[in-house]
Amino acid sequence: MNTENTAPAAPLEEPAAPRRTRFEEFWRLLRKNSLALAGLVVFGLFLATAVAGVFLTSGSKPVLDPSVVRLQEKLRPPLSRSDAASLKPDEIPAMGVYLFGTDDLGRDVFARMLQGAWVSLTVGFVAVGISVAIGIFMGAIAGYYGQQYVRLEQVMLAAWLLGGAALLAAGVRTLGAVVLVAGHAWLFFSISPWGVSRRKSPPPWMRIFLKGTIRVDTIIMRFVDIMLCFPSFFLILTVVALLPASIYTIMIVIGLTSWEGTARFVRAEFLSLREQDFVAAARALGVGNFRIIFRHMTPNAIAPVLVSATIGIASAILTEAGLSFLGFGVPPPHATWGNILSDGKRFIFDAPWLTFIPGAAILLVVLAFNLFGEGLRDILNPKLRQRN
Amino acid sequence: MENETLNAQDILKVEGLRKRFPIRRGFLQRAAGWVNAVENVSFSIERGKTLGLVGESGCGKTTVARMILKLLPSDAGRIVFNGVDLCGISDAEMKPLRKQIQIIFQDPYGSLNPRMSVGEAIGEGLRMAGVRGRNATAARTEELLARVGLSARAIDRYPHEFSGGQRQRIGIARALSVEPSLIICDEPVSALDVSIQAQIINLLKDLQDQLGLSYLFISHDLNVVGYLCHRVAVMYRGQIMEHAPTEELFEHPLHPYTHLLLSAVPDPEAGKKPAVETLESEPPESAPELPEGCRFQVKCLDNDERCRRFGGALTQAGKDHFVRCWKA
Ligand SMILES: Nc1ncnc2c1ncn2[C@@H]1O[C@H](COP(=O)(O)OP(=O)(O)O)[C@@H](O)[C@H]1O
Ligand SMILES: [Mg+2]
């Protein structure tokens, strides 16, 4: 048989599967899952609200100013008109009506909710972004390099560098700097061709430094276990109480304390992916470890991460609201849903809208993300995919 | 290395290759025992020729392949490729040699990255081979696709859009992208329909003629091996039992295991059912204990006391014909 001649005849004339992009397939399955679709719609609305909120409530002369205090108009119920006669010209709300009423200082709750939406959105996404990045990194290392042992030499180097950093932090400047410089010189030497680990047959006294101590996987996964032992809300509370309160601190702290689940998912996926033939094929081609991890394995491990990230956004929003409610969140006068709720709880009988409006918003958004996350899990599950 | 043991015509020479895997048990995952997956395997492949490696499932064929590719470290033995012992060199020294040996896998579904288009998968190999630039890559990809009998429209499609045979062709194109001189075919057709099998086998044969490739062709089907291979090594539970040129092996099989394999091959002319249907593969896990003496005696039709005392050496039974049985 001459392949050159018969080439076009055999293949590709009838594709085995109907041509359908991943996105079309995704969309088809999503439309069948009405709860997930509802979640996505709410998410879209939330996103639009938050983005509109930034434009409407920030700047030097915002359209809707969340911080204008009008004491004569305090605790107005939702949909009440403002009394233009009693207000100074620049205090008059843009719409002439308080859509969500006013709080105990006469501030427009609608404007404050808009401002808070952006806080919730950014905290949710940035915190989850941080946690997913750390989770993928740790999970990938544990899954890919997990069976390798950390050498005694490396443990000693890490201890030495940590010691140097500790000295520096404790104020022993010169000694700390010397220790750190020596540590880096050592590091440089060990990765250079004369280093211990590069020698083909190191002398016996050197061999002790090459002894494996503990598996990489053990280190990372036991660390994950330890992190999971702390009730993370109280861990966050402690850290936030010590650090200056700001929205960035909260994002980072939530991100740093919620990556464990992602790391576990990614590790599990990597353990099964590394046995796959296409990874072996890439290795046989001479593709480097870095590219194998990020080009071959991570894209195939991303589905469960996406699910946990979506649900993670919900829990980050909830955590931020909780912190703000307790007064550890974003400092006033900046409004967040949590501190609107917190301010309103004193007037729960006189002005129930101050509690119910932010409460309902939090409930709706968190529910939407959870529903969408659950739907995503079903959609991305290949076993379910075959069925419909 | 001792060059006198090297035949200049051999592209690959494997000597005394061994691999054992720990059987891990219990909480601490200590090795409770060992599976001798590959034991003292030696063979060589002539340049431009095909060596068939035949044996039932679980006998260690894939393990041999993975060790040759250095995807798996060997416990002992030498793998001499083009005069270089692959066991003794570092990863950095291995890197340029990697491209010379490629592999085609059994499972057409697992061997392609589902998230990479055909163009990306082949392009990755081309990048490793030093092909730079969008146009050069596209041109070379199309050329490779044509070589394996696929149209250029495959380039931006994903593996799930192809049938098993087409995927196998993509895998072959990827292997060819780095211009290897030796390709290990690990049961490349056993997962395919019989009608597709012939196409792929013919493709491999054509590629060998056109590009002068050498193959290590792994299979459990002697029929395919007889058609494609110049020499055949029969493997049983980690050991090579018989090793001879293809015609010699088919005409004068000496080892009882080879007889058993041959009797399981359906006669293409008569279209008969296999004479013996007892060749169900029995992975070593179900019988981890190796018997004293010859390891094939449990399944051997006429075994006696001498099988149990058999030292297990490979003996020369004719010109270029080696067998591991005292009866030969
Ligand atoms: N990574 C591994 N860990 C433990 N045992 C293994 C591993 N790979 C293969 N084996 C064992 O080695 C033996 C040979 O396997 P393999 O080379 O895949 O056989 P074949 O390709 O001939 O079917 C089998 O018993 C298998 O269970
Ligand atoms: Mg196999």
Side-chain angles (χ1 to χ4, degrees):
Chain A
M1 178 173 109
N2 188 334
T3 31
E4 240 64 294
N5 296 339
T6 54
L12 265 189
E13 298 313 323
E14 330 112 65
R19 183 112 170 92
R20 204 187 258 154
T21 62
R22 233 162 248 290
F23 182 75
E24 284 164 357
E25 177 74 11
F26 176 79
W27 185 240
R28 190 178 69 85
L29 289 170
L30 183 66
R31 268 193 320 213
K32 286 189 179 166
N33 191 334
S34 48
L35 279 179
L37 194 61
L40 186 65
V41 169
V42 173
F43 167 53
L45 289 176
F46 170 56
L47 193 72
T49 312
V51 172
V54 180
F55 287 108
L56 292 176
T57 62
S58 58
S60 57
K61 262 197 83 45
V63 182
L64 294 167
D65 195 335
S67 54
V68 175
V69 175
R70 315 171 186 86
L71 285 175
Q72 60 275 55
E73 302 223 88
K74 67 177 184 183
L75 299 182
R76 290 286 170 90
L79 294 176
S80 56
R81 304 198 141 271
S82 71
D83 182 7
S86 68
L87 292 174
K88 282 186 236 146
D90 56 341
E91 284 178 356
I92 297 171
M95 294 185 295
V97 60
Y98 300 112
L99 219 47
F100 288 169
T102 59
D103 65 5
D104 57 321
L105 298 175
R107 294 178 296 191
D108 184 356
V109 176
F110 181 65
R112 289 175 64 73
M113 286 296 294
L114 279 183
Q115 192 179 33
W118 181 251
V119 174
S120 295
L121 184 83
T122 46
V123 166
F125 275 83
V126 175
V128 166
I130 294 172
S131 87
V132 164
I134 300 175
I136 288 182
F137 183 76
M138 297 293 246
I141 302 264
Y144 194 80
Y145 292 109
Q147 300 314 304
Q148 294 186 12
Y149 284 86
V150 177
R151 293 189 300 270
L152 188 61
E153 162 212 33
Q154 292 165 322
V155 176
M156 284 162 63
L157 178 61
W160 181 266
L161 286 174
L162 275 181
L167 282 176
L168 215 55
V172 196
R173 289 281 152 76
T174 10
L175 188 58
V178 167
V179 167
L180 275 183
V181 167
H184 282 97
W186 180 4
L187 182 65
F188 181 76
F189 176 72
S190 65
I191 59 177
S192 74
W194 307 282
V196 187
S197 48
R198 286 301 183 91
R199 297 229 179 153
K200 252 190 200 142
S201 51
W205 65 269
M206 261 187 176
R207 236 168 260 165
I208 186 166
F209 294 111
L210 296 181
K211 234 173 132 67
T213 47
I214 189 167
R215 276 211 304 250
V216 175
D217 186 58
T218 312
I219 298 180
I220 294 180
M221 294 327 283
R222 291 303 82 78
F223 181 59
V224 164
D225 291 344
I226 292 169
M227 289 291 287
L228 283 172
C229 286
F230 292 111
S232 63
F233 191 78
F234 295 101
L235 187 65
I236 294 169
L237 216 54
T238 317
V239 177
V240 168
L242 296 175
L243 291 175
S246 92
I247 186 169
Y248 304 105
T249 319
I250 293 178
M251 288 174 189
I252 293 170
V253 170
I254 295 178
L256 288 180
T257 50
S258 57
W259 52 268
E260 299 89 352
T262 310
R264 280 189 167 173
F265 281 129
V266 172
R267 171 181 175 268
E269 291 288 313
F270 265 51
L271 286 180
S272 75
L273 282 170
R274 51 182 280 165
E275 304 300 329
Q276 301 257 323
D277 285 346
F278 69 83
V279 173
R283 260 199 224 124
L285 287 174
V287 177
N289 287 329
F290 192 79
R291 201 174 148 84
I292 289 179
I293 291 179
F294 288 103
R295 196 70 186 79
H296 289 267
M297 293 169 85
T298 309
N300 285 291
I302 217 73
V305 173
L306 222 54
V307 174
S308 78
T310 313
I311 294 172
I313 291 176
S315 80
I317 289 175
L318 213 50
T319 305
E320 185 277 328
L323 286 173
S324 291
F325 183 83
L326 294 177
F328 289 99
V330 181
H334 201 290
T336 74
W337 292 357
N339 67 24
I340 298 171
L341 193 68
S342 169
D343 291 345
K345 72 178 186 294
R346 285 180 291 149
F347 309 100
I348 190 160
F349 294 114
D350 304 328
W353 60 89
L354 289 182
T355 322
F356 281 111
I357 286 171
I362 293 168
L363 174 76
L364 201 63
V365 169
V366 169
L367 192 64
F369 274 104
N370 279 328
L371 288 177
F372 183 57
E374 304 258 335
L376 212 55
R377 176 163 59 214
D378 295 346
I379 291 166
L380 296 176
N381 185 340
K383 284 191 200 111
L384 295 173
R385 182 184 288 225
Q386 302 301 329
R387 215 178 291 155
N388 13 22
Chain B
M1 74 199 51
E2 314 93 278
N3 266 317
E4 67 270 26
T5 63
L6 261 178
N7 184 337
Q9 289 177 333
D10 290 341
I11 187 163
L12 181 79
K13 188 175 179 70
V14 168
E15 264 175 21
L17 205 56
R18 282 174 191 278
K19 183 75 195 178
R20 55 177 199 171
F21 292 110
I23 306 169
R24 297 193 186 279
R25 291 236 176 81
F27 176 65
L28 288 173
Q29 295 287 293
R30 295 263 182 259
W34 299 88
V35 184
N36 284 307
V38 173
E39 253 180 84
N40 208 358
V41 163
S42 307
F43 56 75
S44 56
I45 304 176
E46 261 182 65
R47 201 175 297 277
K49 296 285 169 61
T50 305
L51 171 72
L53 188 59
V54 188
E56 63 191 21
S57 154
C59 72
K61 307 181 296 290
T62 300
T63 306
V64 169
R66 293 174 67 90
M67 283 192 286
I68 295 173
L69 286 158
K70 286 202 80 175
L71 296 173
L72 196 68
S74 53
D75 290 345
R78 303 202 311 153
I79 301 165
V80 183
F81 177 75
N82 268 339
V84 183
D85 188 354
L86 301 184
C87 294
I89 67 177
S90 69
D91 285 353
E93 288 168 304
M94 184 64 199
K95 195 139 202 236
L97 290 175
R98 276 237 184 266
K99 299 194 268 289
Q100 305 262 317
I101 312 176
Q102 286 300 306
I103 181 163
I104 300 166
F105 293 97
Q106 170 176 13
D107 173 19
Y109 290 85
S111 59
L112 297 173
N113 185 342
R115 296 293 161 102
M116 265 178 142
S117 71
V118 172
E120 286 170 323
I122 296 175
E124 184 162 63
L126 290 175
R127 221 172 48 94
M128 299 314 298
V131 177
R132 289 292 130 96
R134 192 183 287 243
N135 292 337
T137 306
R140 185 88 178 94
T141 308
E142 278 180 32
E143 189 189 324
L144 284 168
L145 286 174
R147 221 180 236 302
V148 298
L150 288 173
S151 92
R153 279 180 297 145
I155 283 187
D156 48 32
R157 297 208 174 181
Y158 285 83
H160 71 272
E161 299 177 50
F162 295 92
S163 67
Q166 289 168 336
R167 286 174 191 228
Q168 230 32 343
R169 288 171 191 267
I170 298 168
I172 294 171
R174 176 181 59 193
L176 291 178
S177 67
V178 287
E179 297 176 25
S181 44
L182 171 68
I183 296 187
I184 299 176
C185 311
D186 188 1
E187 309 204 31
V189 297
S190 25
L192 303 178
D193 285 352
V194 179
S195 57
I196 314 283
Q197 285 192 0
Q199 290 180 15
I200 299 292
I201 296 288
N202 281 328
L203 173 64
L204 288 172
K205 207 164 182 154
D206 290 343
L207 289 171
Q208 182 163 54
D209 294 342
Q210 291 162 10
L211 304 170
L213 297 169
S214 315
Y215 291 135
L216 171 61
F217 191 90
I218 297 173
S219 178
H220 58 249
D221 182 356
L222 264 180
N223 223 350
V224 174
V225 165
Y227 179 63
L228 197 66
C229 300
H230 302 95
R231 284 186 72 88
V232 179
V234 177
M235 205 169 159
Y236 181 77
R237 291 184 71 174
Q239 271 184 347
I240 288 187
M241 289 305 185
E242 189 164 5
H243 188 194
T246 309
E247 276 173 23
E248 166 80 10
L249 189 92
F250 276 70
E251 275 159 28
H252 311 288
L254 292 175
H255 200 280
Y257 183 53
T258 315
H259 278 285
L260 188 62
L261 286 173
L262 281 171
S263 63
V265 172
D267 193 338
E269 275 103 59
K272 276 184 295 188
K273 293 283 279 176
V276 177
E277 291 187 271
T278 51
L279 193 74
E280 81 278 14
S281 55
E282 184 184 316
E285 282 91 339
S286 57
E289 310 288 297
L290 283 171
E292 194 91 343
C294 174
R295 61 185 55 194
F296 185 64
Q297 60 181 285
V298 201
K299 283 198 185 175
C300 198
L301 295 177
D302 62 331
N303 65 73
D304 58 24
E305 188 51 38
R306 289 168 71 186
C307 292
R308 275 174 277 287
R309 281 188 277 114
F310 178 59
L314 200 62
T315 47
Q316 185 149 13
K319 182 182 173 295
D320 227 10
H321 193 155
F322 301 87
V323 65
R324 203 184 293 273
C325 179
W326 61 266
K327 280 168 266 182

